[in-house]
Amino acid sequence: MRNLITLILRYSALIAFLILELIAFFLIINYNKSQKEIWAHSSNLLSGNLFKQVEKIQDFFELQEVNDSLLTENAKLLETIINYRIDSKNNSFQRFEKLDTTFNYQLIPSRICNKTINVRNNYMTLCKGKNDGLKVGMGVISNNGVVGIIKTVSKDFATVLLVLNSQSRISAKVTSKNYFGNLIWDEGDVRSLSMVDVPKHADIAVGDSISTSGYSISFPPDIHIGTIESYSLIGGSNNYKIKVKMKEDVGAVEYVYAIKYLQAMEKDTLLRLENE
Amino acid sequence: MNKVWQRNIIRAIIILLIQLVLLKRIDITFGEFNYIHFTIYPLIIALLPYKMNKTLLVVVGFSLGFFVDLFYDSIGVHAFTTTFIAYMRIYVLNLLSPTEGYGKTGLTSFSYGIPWFLSYIGILLFMHLFLLYSLEAFSFIYIKEILLRTIFSFMASLFLLTVGQLIFNPKY
């Protein structure tokens, strides 16, 4: 106790100084209008900035969660659109919305774990597998078009044979005119595909839209793929060779949707029977 | 001892009268140039006895500043400043300590010469004015005005203080 008093006595000048300065400071910011305003403003700025930074950090941690929920939401919307397209001829959207049937085509959203696009046979690995309902043969699309077809699945992963693969062959059509053909990839340009097997009497023009035909079990009809960039007749053949500019840049895709077709089995069995 | 206090109190009253009645009204303005303001009352703190209790000095500084504030309508600004220089006075004195020490009568030019006195009052006055105008503006976005005000007022006030010191040449 005596030590404390000695200490206070020794530093009494400093203590008095600090206390009086504090009092003076409070007097300044309480009894002077402009100083008061500046003080209030700058302390607001300080705390405001602090809150903003905290918010930013918090946002960063929530980003993944937000992304996932948006992805699910997107998948739902896209699913509705795809299924409505098939039904639209005999239904208005209002009636379609009220129908309580399960959709024929269902979308399973997934992130991409790995992909190559710079070699001859390009593949992509999805971060979802058998456990999430993925199966061999399912089509994979993104917001902007077709990406590929699932080739193998493991428990938690799936490999996708990209459209940018020399083995890829996707059934497609010229949307407005209903001419059918197959899309293949002529190596090199990752933004363009070739459409073959279109007969030469077909009335096509540069800029026409190309979409999926819906004939395979992998893709629903009318998924937009790209537009015609140029076309030419193959020498000695009755078919056009059409250069298609893809809307999707497969190299930049981060999220995709695998398409689950409920009647796939039925259709597949029928097709096989036909072939035998 | 009593005589020293009497002198200090009378001097404080006279200086405050000059400051608050006379100098406060002097307004030197050339168009946008209004940076000169005479401030001499820090002299009261500077001339208080060397051996004065530090705590008392700080309290006196605060009271003096508060009193001046009442006339300048700026509660707290002068009080903050005078408290500060009252506390810093001992460090300035240590910095300027003459070889024979502070044994003589008062902290004036009579005792230690004009150059010593000028640097002593100059340092205190500069600190005082810079802090005063900073607090008045209360934000360093006005740093240009603060510095101009400080420098011009400093020169004008120091001139007045020197003249006063030469005329009266007080012993205490």
Side-chain angles (χ1 to χ4, degrees), chain A residues 215-217 266-276:
Chain A
Y215 286 176
S216 73
I217 58 163
E266 204 181 327
K267 202 167 176 179
D268 199 29
T269 331
L270 201 64
L271 281 174
R272 263 165 220 223
L273 274 176
E274 224 168 57
N275 285 345
E276 273 169 13

Side-chain angles (χ1 to χ4, degrees), chain A residues 234-264:
Chain A
I234 304 168
S237 138
N238 278 333
N239 293 336
Y240 278 123
K241 182 170 177 163
I242 302 170
K243 200 174 174 197
V244 179
K245 179 99 183 140
M246 277 172 84
K247 196 182 169 200
E248 178 63 277
D249 180 0
V250 179
V253 172
E254 278 184 59
Y255 295 95
V256 292
Y257 311 96
I259 299 165
K260 184 178 180 185
Y261 183 34
L262 290 187
Q263 290 165 335

Side-chain angles (χ1 to χ4, degrees), chain A residues 12-14 16-17 20-21 23-25 27-29 31-32 35 38-39, chain B residues 54-55 58-59 62 66 74-77 80 83-84 87 135-138:
Chain A
S12 60
L14 181 64
F17 167 68
L20 290 175
E21 290 290 52
I23 292 171
F25 190 75
L27 289 175
I28 292 173
I29 59 174
Y31 292 98
N32 297 277
Q35 276 95 331
I38 293 173
W39 173 252
Chain B
K54 268 206 291 181
T55 316
V58 170
V59 174
F62 180 82
F66 193 77
S74 58
I75 305 297
V77 177
F80 193 99
T83 312
F84 183 76
Y87 184 74
L135 283 172
E136 223 170 60
F138 213 64

Side-chain angles (χ1 to χ4, degrees), chain A residues 39-82:
Chain A
W39 173 252
H41 183 64
S42 43
S43 47
N44 269 350
L45 274 183
L46 194 71
S47 58
N49 260 333
L50 193 72
F51 285 137
K52 207 166 137 196
Q53 293 304 324
V54 170
E55 195 100 318
K56 252 188 200 167
I57 294 167
Q58 213 172 340
D59 277 357
F60 181 76
F61 282 114
E62 282 170 4
L63 216 56
Q64 189 59 51
E65 213 172 293
V66 172
N67 261 352
D68 284 347
S69 83
L70 283 177
L71 192 63
T72 325
E73 204 178 310
N74 259 354
K76 268 263 157 325
L77 289 172
L78 211 55
E79 200 174 276
T80 316
I81 292 169
I82 287 168

Side-chain angles (χ1 to χ4, degrees), chain A:
Chain A
M1 194 61 196
R2 220 170 64 193
N3 284 345
L4 188 70
I5 291 169
T6 332
L7 198 74
I8 290 174
L9 281 181
R10 184 193 277 176
Y11 290 108
S12 60
L14 181 64
I15 292 167
F17 167 68
L18 290 177
I19 291 173
L20 290 175
E21 290 290 52
L22 220 63
I23 292 171
F25 190 75
F26 276 110
L27 289 175
I28 292 173
I29 59 174
N30 278 319
Y31 292 98
N32 297 277
K33 211 175 159 222
S34 69
Q35 276 95 331
K36 192 178 182 174
E37 273 163 14
I38 293 173
W39 173 252
H41 183 64
S42 43
S43 47
N44 269 350
L45 274 183
L46 194 71
S47 58
N49 260 333
L50 193 72
F51 285 137
K52 207 166 137 196
Q53 293 304 324
V54 170
E55 195 100 318
K56 252 188 200 167
I57 294 167
Q58 213 172 340
D59 277 357
F60 181 76
F61 282 114
E62 282 170 4
L63 216 56
Q64 189 59 51
E65 213 172 293
V66 172
N67 261 352
D68 284 347
S69 83
L70 283 177
L71 192 63
T72 325
E73 204 178 310
N74 259 354
K76 268 263 157 325
L77 289 172
L78 211 55
E79 200 174 276
T80 316
I81 292 169
I82 287 168
N83 286 289
Y84 176 62
R85 259 190 215 136
I86 303 162
D87 254 11
S88 61
K89 274 149 209 152
N90 26 21
N91 264 326
S92 71
F93 189 70
Q94 277 85 351
R95 269 180 61 200
F96 174 77
E97 252 189 325
K98 282 174 198 149
L99 286 178
D100 208 18
T101 52
T102 32
F103 291 142
N104 251 336
Y105 290 100
Q106 291 177 358
L107 296 190
I108 303 166
S110 172
R111 270 186 317 128
I112 292 166
C113 279
N114 182 29
K115 73 182 158 204
T116 55
I117 57 154
N118 49 5
V119 292
R120 199 159 159 261
N121 294 322
N122 295 301
Y123 291 95
M124 171 191 278
T125 311
L126 303 186
C127 302
K128 281 188 175 175
K130 222 179 282 174
N131 287 353
D132 305 286
L134 298 192
K135 279 183 191 139
V136 175
M138 282 184 176
V140 176
I141 59 169
S142 71
N143 291 336
N144 292 330
V146 170
V147 172
I149 294 171
I150 294 180
K151 194 153 190 243
T152 54
V153 281
S154 68
K155 232 171 78 191
D156 291 313
F157 297 99
T159 322
V160 177
L161 186 112
L162 292 182
V163 283
L164 307 178
N165 189 308
S166 58
Q167 296 165 34
S168 158
R169 196 175 178 87
I170 288 166
S171 173
K173 67 179 176 190
V174 182
T175 313
S176 51
K177 286 144 193 166
N178 278 350
Y179 292 115
F180 296 94
N182 287 304
L183 279 175
I184 55 169
W185 184 54
D186 294 328
E187 295 160 41
D189 189 359
V190 294
R191 289 300 296 273
S192 73
L193 298 171
S194 290
M195 190 169 173
V196 293
D197 304 336
V198 180
K200 77 172 176 188
H201 65 265
D203 172 28
I204 54 173
V206 172
D208 278 358
S209 149
I210 304 290
S211 59
T212 51
S213 66
Y215 286 176
S216 73
I217 58 163
S218 302
F219 296 104
D222 296 318
I223 302 281
H224 184 69
I225 296 170
T227 49
I228 296 176
E229 200 178 10
S230 64
Y231 58 90
S232 57
L233 271 174
I234 304 168
S237 138
N238 278 333
N239 293 336
Y240 278 123
K241 182 170 177 163
I242 302 170
K243 200 174 174 197
V244 179
K245 179 99 183 140
M246 277 172 84
K247 196 182 169 200
E248 178 63 277
D249 180 0
V250 179
V253 172
E254 278 184 59
Y255 295 95
V256 292
Y257 311 96
I259 299 165
K260 184 178 180 185
Y261 183 34
L262 290 187
Q263 290 165 335
M265 271 296 272
E266 204 181 327
K267 202 167 176 179
D268 199 29
T269 331
L270 201 64
L271 281 174
R272 263 165 220 223
L273 274 176
E274 224 168 57
N275 285 345
E276 273 169 13

